[in-house]
């Protein structure tokens, strides 16, 4: 399946600029339609459980403050979108074009951001999203995009690279999540200049090795190099090091091969890559 539609949530925060820069670059690469989605929080959702002594005036003031904050974030998100449209030179359109060309549109919905992104994201081929662990709402939305859409997500890095998807590294452990990530990335992999498959340590018994994956890629017309690292230290550090060696501009990664809760508490490759990697991450659970 081709990547024809891309969803990019905006929230009126500093993350928006990197998300827009990455999403528009991908829209041009795939000749895809990009939807920038802003979700306006319902004012009543910002009100805590009403306790004794909370007057109607206080509640009204809290609702007004929440409304003002939402309007401020929407204006900021729209500004980031407008700047990206101007920079990319992409036509705005709400309907498909007969020509194969990139288009974009702004959409505003109301409700909880994480729930809306999960629901809307299931309709798109790819979700481009930023991640800031310091902001709770952004983390919730990121988790919803990854765990609840059933779609691949592209994690926008702090600094958008000059190219995305020209030199791709695949982090391979033979697991289900890695296989799903690779399958979802095939529209990109068929058009890359270089592909490198990297496995770290011993591939668990019963799983296909990196060389076997490379052999299958030949049926798709993809010529892939293989690196089988024997490093036994931090897997994420090894993957990042190998990405630097092969000059990758994007990494394809299966997300949370182990229990997500276990990784969040004890750490794991996915958490480490999200925290340390400066490249765009094409990931899927």
């Amino acid at each position: 399946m081709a990547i024809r539609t891309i969803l990019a949530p905006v929230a009126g925060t500093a993350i928006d600029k990197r998300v827009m820069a990455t999403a528009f670059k991908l829209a041009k690469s795939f000749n895809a339609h990009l939807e920038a989605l802003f979700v306006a929080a319902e004012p009543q959702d910002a009100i805590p459980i009403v306790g004794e002594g909370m007057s109607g005036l206080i509640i009204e003031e809290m609702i007004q403050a929440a409304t003002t904050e939402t309007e401020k974030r929407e204006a900021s998100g729209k500004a980031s979108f407008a700047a990206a449209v101007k920079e990319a030179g992409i036509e705005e359109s709400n309907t498909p074009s007969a020509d194969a060309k990139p288009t974009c549109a702004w959409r505003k919905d109301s409700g909880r951001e994480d729930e809306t992104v999960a629901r809307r994201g299931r309709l798109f081929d790819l979700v481009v999203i930023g991640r800031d662990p310091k902001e709770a709402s952004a983390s919730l939305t990121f988790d919803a995009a990854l765990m609840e859409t059933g779609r691949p997500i592209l994690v926008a890095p702090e600094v958008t690279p000059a190219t995305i998807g020209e030199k791709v590294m695949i982090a391979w452990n033979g697991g289900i999540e890695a296989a799903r990530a690779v399958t979802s990335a095939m529209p990109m992999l068929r058009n890359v200049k270089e592909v490198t498959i990297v496995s770290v340590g011993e591939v668990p018994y019963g799983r296909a090795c990196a060389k076997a994956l490379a052999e299958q890629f030949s049926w798709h017309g993809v010529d892939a190099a293989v690196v089988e690292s024997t490093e036994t230290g931090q897997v994420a550090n090894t993957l990042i090091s190998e990405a630097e060696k092969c000059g990758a501009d994007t990494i394809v990664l299966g997300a949370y091969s182990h229990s997500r809760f276990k990784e969040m508490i004890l750490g794991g490759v996915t958490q480490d890559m999200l925290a340390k990697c400066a490249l765009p991450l094409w990931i899927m659970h």
Side-chain angles (χ1 to χ4, degrees):
M1 184 178 72
I3 302 297
R4 298 294 298 126
T5 56
I6 299 172
L7 181 69
V10 296
T13 67
I15 298 176
D16 291 346
K17 290 183 179 180
R18 72 171 95 152
V19 169
M20 289 292 95
T22 301
F24 272 90
K25 189 179 287 289
L26 287 168
K28 294 177 76 171
S29 176
F30 289 118
N31 284 322
H33 176 69
L34 166 64
E35 178 178 289
L37 173 65
F38 176 79
V39 183
E42 298 288 358
Q44 59 269 26
D45 291 340
I47 309 302
I49 298 175
V50 178
E52 293 183 12
M54 183 174 286
S55 67
L57 178 60
I58 293 176
I59 294 175
E60 185 178 340
E61 289 177 348
M62 294 178 70
I63 291 177
Q64 183 56 50
T67 300
T68 300
E69 176 63 20
T70 296
E71 291 173 349
K72 179 181 176 181
R73 286 188 172 231
E74 182 181 1
S76 176
K78 272 188 174 180
S80 295
F81 173 71
V85 171
K86 183 178 180 180
E87 175 70 21
I90 289 180
E91 175 186 340
E92 293 189 56
S93 176
N94 289 312
T95 57
S97 170
D99 302 323
K101 64 179 182 180
T103 56
C104 63
W106 172 269
R107 180 186 177 94
K108 177 183 177 181
D109 279 353
S110 298
R112 282 178 54 103
E113 185 181 52
D114 56 333
E115 293 176 352
T116 305
V117 167
R119 181 180 68 251
R120 189 86 184 141
R122 293 168 194 149
L123 305 174
F124 287 74
D125 301 322
L126 177 67
V127 180
V128 177
I129 195 165
R131 182 178 185 270
D132 185 354
K134 294 175 290 187
E135 186 169 341
S137 60
S139 295
L140 286 173
T141 302
F142 176 88
D143 288 348
L146 175 60
M147 307 299 291
E148 298 179 33
T149 63
R151 303 295 185 176
I153 71 172
L154 195 290
V155 185
E158 289 189 22
V159 179
T160 305
T163 61
I164 299 177
E166 287 194 3
K167 294 184 178 182
V168 176
M169 190 191 89
I170 298 171
W172 180 254
N173 65 359
I176 295 173
E177 292 78 12
R180 287 173 180 157
V182 168
T183 299
S184 71
M186 284 309 300
M188 174 177 64
L189 296 174
R190 290 192 185 100
N191 297 297
V192 300
K193 292 181 178 178
E194 294 180 16
V195 178
T196 304
I197 305 169
V198 176
S199 65
V200 180
E202 292 290 331
V203 174
Y205 176 78
R207 295 185 181 185
C209 66
K211 289 180 180 178
L213 179 63
E215 290 172 1
Q216 288 299 313
F217 274 2
S218 64
W219 292 97
H220 293 273
V222 177
D223 185 18
V226 173
V227 175
E228 295 176 317
S229 175
T230 57
E231 293 288 337
T232 57
Q234 286 285 336
V235 174
N237 291 344
T238 301
L239 290 174
I240 292 170
S241 176
E242 292 296 337
E244 292 175 353
K245 291 178 184 177
C246 67
D249 61 18
T250 309
I251 296 177
V252 175
L253 177 75
Y256 296 113
S257 296
H258 300 292
S259 161
R260 177 168 168 270
F261 177 77
K262 181 179 179 181
E263 283 212 15
M264 291 178 67
I265 300 302
L266 301 178
V269 176
T270 307
Q271 290 291 106
D272 285 348
M273 290 295 285
L274 289 170
K276 300 176 181 178
C277 188
L279 294 176
L281 293 174
W282 182 298
I283 64 179
M284 190 167 183
H285 178 60

